[in-house]
Amino acid sequence: MMAEQSALEIELEDDLLLILLEYLDVRALGRAARTCRRLRDAVTSPAADTKVWKPIHRRLCHYCDPDSEPAAPPCYRSLVREICTLSLTGYWRVKGCYDSSGAYEYDMRLSQHGKWVTGTATEPWIFEITGKLHGNSFVTHQRGRDRNDDDEWTNICSAVVAPSGLFMKGTWIQERDGNILFSNDHTGSFECRKISTAAAAPPHHQPLPPLLTATPPAAAAADDQSGPSGDGSSTSSSSSGSNSSGASSSAAVESPQGKRRRTDA
Amino acid sequence: METAPMETEQRLVKLSSSQGDVFEVEFGTACYADVVKQMIDFTSESSDAETIPLNLKTTVLEKVLQYCDYHRDNEPKEIPKPLPTTNLGEIVGDWDAAFINVDDENMLYELILAANYLDIKPLLDLACAKAACAIKHMTPDAIREHFNLQPEQMTPEEEQEMLEELKWCTDGGAA
C-alpha cells in the first residue's frame, strides 16, 4: 500500500466501494467507471447490478402493467441502458378518446434534447408541445388552439413509454384560463405510435411536413405528400427538406416505407 | 434507544484508541455501536473498570463517539439512493451535514472504515454519501486527480472499449 495512493484506492474494499456507488446517479457512475479499471469493474460487477443498478432501474422504469416487470432480468444495467437511451425524437401518430366519448387522431413531431422534449402538431389543432422525459415517464404540456377560431387551451398529458421507444400510452386533462376542467368532456386517454424516427428540425418556426398516410405511392406522389424520411437510424437532414423539395420520386420511394413502419408499429 | 435501567444508564465505559488514548463515555453512547455493546457484554462480567481497546485512531474514535452520542437520542434520517442533491444538509439535516463536513478527505474514508468496523450502518451510509457527493459532479479526469489514480492502469484499448461500453451513461438522456 503506497502512501501517495488515494484513500479510495487503498482503503475501501469492494463491498464498501459499492455502498459509495449506490449514492451515484447514472451519469456519475458512467464518469466514475471511466477513471480506472478498479472502478470500471466495480460499476459493472454482478454485485453492482443488484445493489446499484436495480434501484436505479426501479426508480426510472415505469410499467403500464406492474406484472410485466421482469422477475429476474438478465442484467439491470442493460435495462437501465435501454431506458437511458430512449429517444422520443420523431413523428408520432396519436390516437385518443375523450372520457365522455368520441375519438380523435393526429400526428405530432417531437424533438428530444436530453430529458427535455419539444414538439408540434398542426392538424386538426395547432399544438405547441413542451415536456420532460424521466426514465420512461413522459409528462407534457400542449398549448393548443383551434385552426378556425381563437379558442385556446392547454392539455396536460402524462404517458409511459414502452422500452422499445416506439409506443406510449397515457391520459390527459385540460386546463383553460388557469383552471383544470373537471369534466369527462375535457379529459381523456391516448396512445401514440412512432411512425418515423427521423430527427426533427427545431420544432418552432418550421412547418410540419405532410403526414405519413396509408395512401398508395402513386396517390401520395400526385398529392406531393412525401413522408418524412429516415429509417431506423436517427439524424436525417432531409426530414424537413423532403417537404420543401417535394420530389415525387422520393415520395414514391418513401411511402411504402411509411406503410411498413405503420404496420410494424 | 436502549431502555436500560438507571444504573447502567449512568454507567461509564472506557474505550481506548489504537494510540492508547482512553475515552470515558456513557454506556448508552458506547452501545450505539452494536459491536462495542457486544464487547462490553463480553467483558463486563470480569470487571467494570476494564478498558475496551478499539483499533481506531484517536481522532477517528473521537469523531465516532460524537456521532454515537448525538444519535443515541436522535434517529438518523434514511439517505435516498441515488442522491437527489449534493446538498447533504437538505437530506440528513444540519447536524449530520456539519458533522460529516470534514476538512481532511482521509478522515472521511477513515470514518467509512470505522463505521464498517463498528457496524454503525447510518454512519457508514452518511460517510459514503458524503464521499459520493464529492465525486458526483466530477469529470473522469477530476476523479482521477482527486483520488490520485493512474490512467495507465488501463491500456488504451481497454479505455476505448470502456468509452464505448459506457457512452450512454455520460450522454444526455432521459435519466
Side-chain angles (χ1 to χ4, degrees), chain A residues 36-176:
Chain A
C36 66
R37 186 185 288 146
R38 170 91 201 280
L39 282 175
R40 194 253 327 244
D41 290 350
V43 166
T44 56
S45 68
D49 201 49
T50 43
K51 296 205 79 172
V52 177
W53 295 103
K54 188 177 177 181
I56 291 177
H57 173 256
R58 181 147 297 162
R59 197 171 145 269
L60 287 180
C61 188
H62 303 267
Y63 290 92
C64 304
D65 169 9
D67 296 334
S68 63
E69 182 172 359
C75 178
Y76 282 102
R77 184 161 49 92
S78 64
L79 291 177
V80 171
R81 176 187 192 142
E82 208 167 53
I83 292 171
C84 289
T85 52
L86 273 184
S87 171
L88 299 188
T89 296
Y91 294 79
W92 295 77
R93 176 145 305 154
V94 185
K95 289 185 180 181
C97 60
Y98 296 87
D99 287 333
S100 50
S101 71
Y104 60 85
E105 185 176 331
Y106 63 88
D107 284 9
M108 66 178 175
R109 177 165 90 177
L110 297 180
S111 175
Q112 185 180 334
H113 319 275
K115 61 188 173 185
W116 306 107
V117 179
T118 56
T120 51
T122 54
E123 286 285 351
W125 306 287
I126 296 170
F127 282 138
E128 205 171 278
I129 301 164
T130 45
K132 179 185 170 182
L133 182 65
H134 173 80
N136 66 332
S137 297
F138 183 44
V139 60
T140 156
H141 171 286
Q142 299 181 325
R143 211 166 66 197
R145 143 168 95 74
D146 264 329
R147 291 196 76 83
N148 304 321
D149 53 42
D150 289 339
D151 194 20
E152 284 191 14
W153 68 93
T154 295
N155 292 333
I156 298 161
C157 315
S158 170
V160 168
V161 184
S164 65
L166 300 173
F167 177 77
M168 63 173 118
K169 182 177 178 176
T171 59
W172 56 269
I173 191 164
Q174 206 169 85
E175 182 225 293
R176 268 170 207 259

Side-chain angles (χ1 to χ4, degrees), chain B residues 29-44:
Chain B
T29 300
C31 287
Y32 189 79
D34 253 352
V35 170
V36 176
K37 182 171 187 299
Q38 284 166 23
M39 287 167 135
I40 293 169
D41 290 346
F42 188 73
T43 54
S44 61

Side-chain angles (χ1 to χ4, degrees), chain B residues 30-167:
Chain B
C31 287
Y32 189 79
D34 253 352
V35 170
V36 176
K37 182 171 187 299
Q38 284 166 23
M39 287 167 135
I40 293 169
D41 290 346
F42 188 73
T43 54
S44 61
E45 283 164 21
S46 47
S47 160
D48 259 6
E50 191 158 332
T51 301
I52 310 226
L54 295 173
N55 190 19
L56 293 174
K57 282 188 204 164
T58 300
T59 49
V60 177
L61 178 57
E62 188 178 12
K63 196 83 179 150
V64 169
L65 289 174
Q66 271 177 28
Y67 184 89
C68 293
D69 194 44
Y70 180 79
H71 278 297
R72 56 186 277 206
D73 299 320
N74 296 282
E75 188 81 16
K77 288 185 185 150
E78 182 101 12
I79 307 174
K81 301 169 180 180
L83 289 169
T85 163
T86 48
N87 183 357
L88 269 187
E90 275 177 35
I91 304 170
V92 298
D94 292 340
W95 192 91
D96 284 78
F99 170 83
I100 205 65
N101 194 22
V102 290
D103 294 332
D104 179 7
E105 197 74 34
N106 283 313
M107 172 57 108
L108 186 58
Y109 287 97
E110 301 257 25
L111 280 174
I112 293 177
L113 295 178
N116 185 52
Y117 163 56
L118 296 176
D119 198 17
I120 310 174
K121 185 79 170 62
L123 177 57
L124 179 61
D125 287 345
L126 178 65
C128 284
K130 178 69 181 179
C133 281
I135 65 172
K136 190 172 171 179
H137 294 302
M138 286 184 189
T139 62
D141 284 341
I143 294 175
R144 268 193 205 114
E145 200 174 324
H146 184 72
F147 294 121
N148 195 20
L149 300 174
Q150 302 307 314
E152 59 267 30
Q153 283 177 302
M154 276 191 288
T155 65
E157 292 78 32
E158 280 177 316
E159 200 157 1
Q160 189 55 40
E161 181 193 320
M162 200 182 45
L163 275 177
E164 297 292 319
E165 150 73 20
L166 295 160
K167 185 171 180 295

